[in-house]
Amino acid sequence: MRAPPCLATARLRLRPRRREDIDAILQMDLDPEVHRYSKMLPSTPLKNPDPATLRETIRSQIKSCSPRDFWVVEWKNQPGLLGLVGLNRNPKGFGKEANVLEFRFVRTAWGQGIASEAAQAILDHGFRVLMWPTIVAFSHTENWRSRRVLEKIGMKQDQIAVIEQRSLLSAPQSPAPARVSNLLNIKCSTGIRYLVYRLERRTDRGGPPTASSAQPDLLR
């Protein structure tokens, strides 16, 4: 599987993950504050994560380029992992519309506008290069930092989803795949509430993407 192209913003460089990034990613993912609200991520550590197991998971993801469109974020003129940002296209069981924006950053990178700058670059790539019609993102209801990033890049809350306490992005296709219609519908009986943010690409005259105007509702 081909690695994603390098991207650049005013301050940042976004490049494919490499094997030499494993230690830095491991250190970030072992920080409980980084994953305080990120129970949906496939590499989220458990309560007492095993570093060796987590290292192997990260290594396998880098080797297989999974998710395919995932980037290391670093300063343009200074190497060193600030975080990860990317797109997970069509997670199993969640339908063709579920192109999901994800990001997480080391604590020292918080509060500097890095997340919104990198996420905006990914949105632009998804809409203008990959030509995806829709991109969604999930944020825990209490994760105000993540919500602020998503709102800053123009995404709007579309729904509230109740999601089982398992990895959304590695969810099995059976026995009950999620229903997808004109809105992203996630069928769960129990779980954690997440806000679903959504942005759609405008097709008129190649204009910029616009946020959905749909009203939030509760999915179960």
Side-chain angles (χ1 to χ4, degrees), residues 28-135:
M28 176 177 67
D29 283 350
L30 287 174
D31 184 344
E33 283 301 307
V34 171
H35 283 286
R36 184 178 180 184
Y37 302 110
S38 302
K39 300 182 186 300
M40 292 161 53
L41 294 173
S43 59
T44 300
L46 301 176
K47 185 175 181 180
N48 296 301
D50 173 47
T53 301
L54 184 55
R55 177 186 292 275
E56 179 59 26
T57 299
I58 296 168
R59 188 197 67 79
S60 297
Q61 290 174 345
I62 293 175
K63 182 178 180 180
S64 63
C65 292
S66 177
R68 173 179 158 185
D69 293 301
F70 226 75
W71 290 261
V72 162
V73 181
E74 57 188 9
W75 296 113
K76 264 187 177 179
N77 57 355
Q78 181 180 342
L81 181 136
L82 298 172
L84 295 174
V85 64
L87 296 164
N88 193 341
R89 62 180 70 190
N90 305 337
K92 292 181 179 179
F94 289 87
K96 65 181 181 180
E97 289 192 40
N99 299 309
V100 181
L101 170 67
E102 308 170 31
F103 53 84
R104 62 191 187 273
F105 292 85
V106 299
R107 271 196 274 178
T108 55
W110 295 2
Q112 302 178 57
I114 294 171
S116 56
E117 188 172 332
Q120 184 65 64
I122 298 305
L123 281 185
D124 290 344
H125 180 74
F127 285 125
R128 304 182 190 282
V129 178
L130 301 177
M131 301 298 290
W132 286 356
T134 305
I135 294 175

Side-chain angles (χ1 to χ4, degrees), residues 158-197:
D158 187 71
Q159 299 178 40
I160 299 174
V162 178
I163 302 176
E164 295 177 11
Q165 294 188 48
R166 57 183 171 86
S167 169
L168 167 68
L169 302 181
S170 61
Q173 290 182 301
S174 60
R179 297 178 295 106
V180 178
S181 60
N182 62 320
L183 296 176
L184 182 63
N185 292 306
I186 300 176
K187 186 178 181 181
C188 293
S189 58
T190 61
I192 302 173
R193 291 189 180 189
Y194 287 87
L195 302 180
V196 182
Y197 284 80

